Amino acid sequence: MQAEYRQRREQLMSKIGNGIAIFRSAPTAVMHNDVEYAFRQDSDFYYLTGFNEAQAVAVLAPSHPEHRFVLFVQPKDREQEVWSGYRCGVEAAKQVYGADEAYPITELDEKLPQYLEKADRIYYHLGRDRTFNDKILNLWQRLMRTYPKRGTGPIAIEDTGPILHSMRLIKSQSELELMRKAADIAVEAHNHAMEFTQPGRYEYEIQAEIEHIFRLRGANGPAYPSIVASGVNACVLHYIENNRQIQDKELLLIDAGCAYGYYNSDITRTWPVGGKFTPEQKTLYELVLEAQKQAIAQVQPGNPYKLIHDTAVRVLTEGLVELGILKGEIDKLIEEEKYKPYYMHRTGHWLGLDVHDVGVYQHGEDKPQILQPGQVLTVEPGLYIVPDTKLAEDQPQTDPRWVGIGIRIEDDVLVTATGHEVLTAGVPKEVAQVER
């Protein structure tokens, strides 16, 4: 992988001219008192370095005669490592991670200005680490004050996102291998959960079975808090309490994926707890499934990204009108978003190092993002007949027989040169497959 990290750095440096790009590792996060969460590296930092420690800074300086890639890292410290784990150290930052030069992180304030003095701009993303943001801004202001004397130095700060995130949007073969593995593990976990489900179990029991398989198969763990939502809980999009006892004749919605080698999967399935849909559940389920199938069919290179959502919205709106849940002319209902009380989210998102991965969805109002081979996205339409739904204007009261039903079906889809590949197709979703 080091060759690929180097290639990514070279690609980024080719786009920033005489600029300097600075990337900060993720900060540690406190769980409670003096106990920290397991460390997870910042995705941009990891994408360019593969370095998985906190308190590190990467500098890319394409115009520097010797030090094009510089790492600032925690030095080796035997006493500290006994308590909190081994460190790479300064020398290995060069030998293992390919840095042209490396320094202890304590020397950042001294060394970093030397790399910036002849750069024409700083590329840096203002993130959640406000202290480090201030450090970069103060350094830039200091260099600007002395600019008239030298005639050199960064005269602007530019976000790294537009350049780097367009790179991350197209997955390499090695990235796709990791994403396929993450998908395969999550497929196995969902299939096991489907078999394990029965009335009387608790949502957290199903969660435990899913996450057991994640770790058993070598995943880092859940890609996000697993959603195991029975009955009316399925109408809460990000329900994570997972503490309710599952009842017969209800639906169980599971939205769970795993992280493998830093890359993520994201699957949702909904199935009947007792093995058979009620007529109302089946009707809405088939509507959501048809919306998903038609939306996935639009995942083709050259199609605008928004066509996926537009397709799902039209299928769902037409179905809701046919069922009497909405009334009116289809195009107008869509234009006025009268479907939103029942379908309030988008039909998917980019997927990769982040679950909601980076990359723009629209280049301005009249310039849609066009699908390209190597992009990976989710397709996840749903319907949620929330008990206390606030109806859109001029819409009928919801028939009680629909109330409390929540359904979502989600797959991970790769854009290929000739169409698409559903990476998570191994989890059943046809009615005949999910009933038993």
Side-chain angles (χ1 to χ4, degrees):
M1 279 296 292
Q2 285 304 317
E4 184 158 340
Y5 295 129
R6 183 169 60 252
Q7 182 183 29
R8 293 169 184 172
R9 293 192 296 268
E10 292 294 334
Q11 184 179 351
L12 177 63
M13 287 191 285
S14 72
K15 298 175 183 291
I16 65 173
N18 195 39
I20 294 282
I22 302 170
F23 297 90
R24 171 70 160 164
S25 63
T28 54
V30 174
M31 180 185 290
H32 50 75
N33 197 8
D34 57 352
V35 176
E36 295 174 349
Y37 285 100
F39 179 71
R40 204 279 186 185
Q41 187 58 278
D42 174 82
S43 294
D44 283 347
F45 191 95
Y46 189 82
Y47 181 80
L48 291 168
T49 67
F51 191 78
N52 196 31
E53 293 181 22
Q55 297 186 50
V57 171
V59 177
L60 301 184
S63 298
H64 196 281
E66 299 176 75
H67 304 160
R68 290 163 54 84
F69 172 38
V70 180
L71 276 174
F72 293 85
V73 301
Q74 297 181 87
K76 298 290 289 181
D77 184 324
R78 190 174 186 279
E79 183 176 344
Q80 288 297 317
E81 290 176 68
V82 166
W83 285 95
S84 54
Y86 297 113
R87 296 177 180 177
C88 164
V90 175
E91 287 306 311
K94 293 187 284 186
Q95 297 165 4
V96 177
Y97 292 94
D100 299 315
E101 185 57 273
Y103 304 100
I105 190 66
T106 51
E107 296 182 15
L108 181 69
D109 290 347
E110 175 192 350
K111 301 292 186 182
L112 183 58
Q114 299 172 19
Y115 289 97
L116 294 175
E117 285 175 351
K118 294 185 179 180
D120 59 12
R121 67 184 53 216
I122 298 171
Y123 288 85
Y124 173 72
H125 174 69
L126 292 167
R128 296 187 182 93
D129 189 339
R130 292 188 178 183
T131 300
F132 194 74
N133 291 345
D134 290 343
K135 182 188 292 289
I136 298 300
L137 291 170
N138 290 337
L139 176 57
W140 174 58
Q141 288 175 322
R142 193 164 73 243
L143 289 168
M144 281 298 295
R145 283 196 295 270
T146 59
Y147 178 85
K149 298 177 182 178
R150 298 189 321 272
T152 63
I155 59 174
I157 293 182
E158 187 169 331
D159 197 299
T160 54
I163 297 174
L164 183 60
H165 295 170
S166 64
M167 291 168 52
R168 282 179 53 186
L169 192 54
I170 307 297
K171 306 302 187 281
S172 69
Q173 287 305 309
S174 60
E175 289 179 289
L176 290 176
E177 286 177 17
L178 294 170
M179 295 193 72
R180 289 181 196 282
K181 183 65 174 179
D184 289 346
I185 294 170
V187 164
E188 180 182 345
H190 275 260
N191 287 341
H192 174 67
M194 197 175 296
E195 295 174 0
F196 187 76
T197 298
Q198 64 181 42
R201 295 199 188 279
Y202 283 83
E203 294 165 342
Y204 56 74
E205 293 182 73
I206 314 294
Q207 177 184 2
E209 293 291 316
I210 290 170
E211 295 179 3
H212 170 68
I213 289 178
F214 288 169
R215 293 297 285 143
L216 189 67
R217 297 292 178 252
N220 306 93
Y224 49 91
S226 300
I227 297 168
V228 183
S230 61
V232 72
N233 289 343
C235 294
V236 179
L237 300 183
H238 292 159
Y239 170 81
I240 57 172
E241 284 78 6
N242 300 347
N243 57 13
R244 181 176 178 273
Q245 190 175 36
I246 300 167
Q247 305 299 318
D248 195 11
K249 297 184 179 178
E250 292 181 335
L251 295 180
L252 181 64
L253 184 157
I254 295 181
D255 186 339
C258 67
Y260 184 86
Y262 265 79
Y263 286 81
N264 300 289
S265 54
D266 187 358
I267 304 174
T268 308
R269 290 293 187 270
T270 309
W271 58 76
V273 171
K276 296 291 181 183
F277 288 105
T278 68
E280 290 77 17
Q281 291 168 352
K282 183 178 179 181
T283 296
L284 292 181
Y285 183 89
E286 289 179 327
L287 176 54
V288 173
L289 182 58
E290 181 60 24
Q292 199 216 24
K293 287 179 177 179
Q294 291 197 31
I296 289 175
Q298 302 305 326
V299 181
Q300 304 281 342
N303 276 355
Y305 176 89
K306 70 184 294 290
L307 184 58
I308 300 167
H309 179 67
D310 292 346
T311 299
V313 165
R314 180 162 293 275
V315 174
L316 293 173
T317 303
E318 289 173 350
L320 291 173
V321 168
E322 187 175 333
L323 296 173
I325 297 174
L326 289 177
K327 68 174 185 178
E329 195 273 320
I330 302 297
D331 288 341
K332 189 173 182 182
L333 289 171
I334 293 172
E335 181 185 352
E336 297 178 354
E337 298 185 331
K338 295 291 179 71
Y339 59 85
K340 273 202 165 180
Y342 308 108
Y343 180 46
M344 59 290 292
H345 60 79
R346 302 294 291 181
T347 304
H349 51 80
W350 303 124
L351 184 68
L353 276 169
D354 297 312
V355 176
H356 293 170
D357 208 23
V358 295
V360 299
Y361 296 94
Q362 188 84 10
H363 299 277
E365 191 171 329
D366 301 321
K367 203 174 176 190
Q369 172 68 268
I370 300 300
L371 297 178
Q372 303 172 58
Q375 294 170 338
V376 182
L377 52 101
T378 67
V379 180
E380 51 177 310
L383 283 175
Y384 315 90
I385 316 299
V386 183
D388 56 353
T389 297
K390 183 178 180 181
L391 300 173
E393 187 179 357
D394 300 326
Q395 292 304 305
Q397 288 294 320
T398 307
D399 190 318
R401 66 196 178 107
W402 306 113
V403 173
I405 297 176
I407 297 165
R408 183 164 66 254
I409 306 171
E410 176 183 22
D411 280 297
D412 304 343
V413 186
L414 166 67
V415 185
T416 67
T418 57
H420 62 261
E421 177 189 351
V422 180
L423 303 179
T424 49
V427 189
K429 57 187 177 183
E430 298 293 340
V431 169
Q433 295 173 316
V434 300
E435 285 193 326
R436 60 183 190 273

